[in-house]
Amino acid sequence: MVESDALISVMGLSYRYPRRGVVLDQVDFTLKKGERVALTGPNGAGKTTFLHLLVGLKKPKAGQVWAFGAERNVEKEFVEVRARAGFLFQDPDDQLFCPTVLEDVAFGPLNLGKTRNQALEIAKQTLASLGMAGFEERITHQLSGGEKRMITLASVLAMEPDVLLLDEPSNALDTQARQRLIDTLLCLPQAMVIISHDGDLVTQLATREVTLVDGKLVDQRR
Ligand SMILES: Nc1ncnc2c1ncn2[C@@H]1O[C@H](COP(=O)(O)OP(=O)(O)OP(=O)(O)O)[C@@H](O)[C@H]1O
């Protein structure tokens, strides 16, 4: 039974890779409205794999995924999930594909049916809200790692997703940009899952923390 305030919920979710073996072993998890859940755990524990399963980028070996009020099994059903769950990939180079920053950030809104002018306006506003005004005409592949990280976040936020799935969002950010990111995320209304090895970010941001160890998800007392 999925709770009424659940946005995304998994039950008995299991996954294994050939050679690596089991990474997720009958995991149960629910993301509710208003939550900012930190997903922690050692390198290679399966945190990224877990987020990929939530949005259908991988198919579980067993278990169920519920998202936005419906069970999701096949690719067609996950298309809506990916439109509503903004995914910030661990590596910004997997996410940036347009020549300029403005085009990249406007791509999502355009794809969601906004006019070109509306999409460009949303992109400019989103960049400004992240302290990235002035980057509009920069060439994406020439940006630094930290700049790319902020631009990918802008691309995700410009689509106004219902949920955010953030894979190590503070990677490559300097102290100022990192704090700006934390302050920005704190002000957002969306529920989110945040994979992070950054203990201070987790302390500042998370409303609860779950840790993936040996394929099991363990609730942390905070
Ligand atoms: N395509 C693949 N084939 C085989 N093994 C894989 C594949 N992708 C990931 N793995 C392995 O599965 C495990 C989980 O990987 P995953 O990236 O989900 O871990 P993670 O917890 O996000 O790690 P990190 O904190 O280092 O980013 C790792 O041991 C990884 O080497």
Side-chain angles (χ1 to χ4, degrees):
M1 181 68 192
V2 176
E3 293 161 77
S4 60
D5 55 351
L7 292 162
I8 299 183
S9 203
V10 302
M11 284 147 284
L13 198 70
S14 296
Y15 195 81
R16 55 177 290 121
Y17 287 108
R19 288 184 287 278
R20 166 64 168 79
V22 172
V23 284
L24 297 166
D25 183 11
Q26 300 194 19
V27 167
D28 297 332
F29 171 80
T30 296
L31 176 69
K32 295 181 187 170
K33 286 178 188 158
E35 285 193 310
R36 292 187 298 270
V37 181
L39 173 56
T40 58
N43 288 132
K47 303 178 296 297
T48 298
T49 303
F50 179 72
L51 287 198
H52 285 182
L53 286 162
L54 297 187
V55 296
L57 294 176
K58 290 186 169 64
K59 198 169 164 41
K61 305 300 175 196
Q64 294 169 289
V65 178
W66 285 75
F68 310 115
E71 189 178 351
R72 311 287 174 163
N73 284 299
V74 294
E75 169 58 17
K76 200 173 70 178
E77 294 162 344
F78 277 108
V79 171
E80 188 201 348
V81 179
R82 289 198 289 273
R84 296 180 64 178
F87 201 124
L88 187 77
F89 289 105
Q90 192 168 10
D91 182 351
D93 287 328
D94 289 342
Q95 203 145 11
L96 297 168
F97 51 89
C98 293
T100 69
V101 165
L102 190 62
E103 286 170 280
D104 226 311
V105 181
F107 181 85
L110 257 180
N111 222 18
L112 292 174
K114 304 285 184 196
T115 66
R116 183 159 173 78
N117 282 346
Q118 285 170 334
L120 291 175
E121 193 49 41
I122 292 168
K124 284 179 194 163
Q125 282 176 13
T126 311
L127 285 166
S129 74
L130 292 174
M132 301 303 282
F135 277 73
E136 290 83 353
E137 300 310 322
R138 296 280 296 274
I139 309 297
T140 47
H141 76 262
Q142 293 173 348
L143 299 175
S144 75
E147 290 166 346
K148 283 181 183 171
R149 174 55 74 189
M150 295 304 278
I151 299 308
T152 51
L153 182 64
S155 303
V156 170
L157 294 180
M159 288 190 280
E160 299 181 332
D162 293 328
V163 160
L164 293 168
L165 303 174
L166 309 174
D167 198 344
E168 301 193 28
S170 63
N171 266 7
L173 296 185
D174 66 33
T175 313
Q176 262 190 343
R178 179 182 159 284
Q179 193 55 50
R180 200 164 61 234
L181 168 86
I182 295 171
D183 295 341
T184 302
L185 294 178
L186 277 170
C187 291
L188 293 176
Q190 285 98 336
M192 54 187 87
V193 181
I194 314 133
I195 295 178
S196 189
H197 297 288
D198 178 341
D200 178 61
L201 174 141
V202 171
T203 303
Q204 289 195 55
L205 203 51
T207 57
R208 70 184 172 99
E209 178 179 353
V210 293
T211 302
L212 193 55
V213 193
D214 297 332
K216 300 286 187 191
L217 210 52
V218 183
D219 279 311
Q220 300 294 321
R221 296 223 165 270
R222 291 169 64 83

